[in-house]
Amino acid sequence: MRFQVNRDVFSEAVSFVVKLLPQRNPQPILAGVLIEADGSGLTLSAFDYEASARTTIEATVDTPGTILVHGRLLSDIASRLPNAPIEIAVEDDGGITVTCGSARFTLAAMPVEEYPSIPEVSGSSGVVPADDFGTAISQVGFAASRDDVTPVLTGVQLEVSGQSLSLVATDRYRVSLRDVPWDGEAVETTALVPARTLLEVGKTFGHAGTIQIAFSGAGDREIIAFTAGNKTVTSLLIKGNFPPVRRLFPEQTDHYAVVNTADLIEAVRRVSLVLDRAAPLRFTFSSDGVTMDASGSEHARASESVDAILSGGDEVTLGLNPQYLIEALGAVKSEFVRVTFTSSDNANKLSPVLITSQTSVDQAGLDSFKYLLQPNLLLR
């Protein structure tokens, strides 16, 4: 095999396909990138049995063929080569040479015949706006659990209903939800996608115009595919029942406070500096604004107030995880935020707060982002 390819195009393609590979793979063969060269150009692929990435690029192919080479090493080399065309060839001794200007590397070939087949997807599909979908992933993905003990909570649930695609994530302490327009088959479909994979899709495809999403497979090999332009990412779905968290969102939202988002973020960051790790921050919402109070070890104390408008009810005092709140405020993406105090049928259980966007002091945001955060018990 021998081909020539543009340095920047090749470097970007290799970087894309290796992003989804785990840093440490128990099977060395899965650390490889498969490069297939034919008359139409190059196809680069990576697969670890759970997620795959594939892209096609233009190249001048002198001798068609297929090679498998260590992905991260090739990516590191390609990103540092001089600004000149790259030539890659398989030598008589089986080694793979990478030549660019006066730079020359020789890499070991990995056995192509041992590499697994890249999954193909052919099922129901639809199209979503890439910018909306990328934003939605960033607003929801961080709320998924990072604890593998409960695999279903490490994913983001995608739910197709009519002309809407919902993204939902929870780690038991919070729930994040966002809807985006869906243009495709109006069949009700759900897919539980690993949050790590979906976050990479959002970063990579967020400015692609549109993204095609396809569902395929059955049983233990259900997969989902995301395609934009010449790039495709597939992911094996997480098996299990995602908790019915939608019912936790309240119908009535009459008792709430409206606060400037940036002011609240900065105040929470400052006051929480004295908190012990994992301790809640005390918030008091009143007609005078919102006051934050914290006390920690070494007899350190802090307090700060931020202007807020309270509507529909009396003063409220509660404890919230400051990091969870900051992540929610960063996801709101609006100048103001509405903090709604929900009610519960259980008098012995704290009711969650609902966080939504607010474009101005008196006008709710237009997007469908919703975030529920469970308060913590405050020690008196």
Side-chain angles (χ1 to χ4, degrees), residues 158-166 182 184-191 213 215:
L158 272 56
E159 303 172 352
V160 176
S161 180
Q163 299 303 305
S164 177
L165 171 66
S166 299
W182 170 263
E185 299 178 28
V187 293
E188 293 198 359
T189 305
T190 62
I213 302 176
F215 308 89

Side-chain angles (χ1 to χ4, degrees), residues 140-147 150-157 167-177 192 195 241-246 248-249 324 371-374:
V140 172
F142 68 87
S145 175
R146 295 169 180 82
D147 187 353
T150 311
V152 293
L153 299 185
T154 64
V156 176
Q157 176 92 330
L167 294 85
V168 192
T170 184
D171 61 2
R172 287 198 182 96
Y173 306 103
R174 52 185 173 168
V175 182
S176 193
L177 168 67
L192 188 53
N241 296 319
F242 194 73
V245 293
R246 281 182 177 273
L248 301 176
F249 288 91
Y324 285 2
Y371 180 93
L372 273 181
L373 178 57
Q374 183 63 35

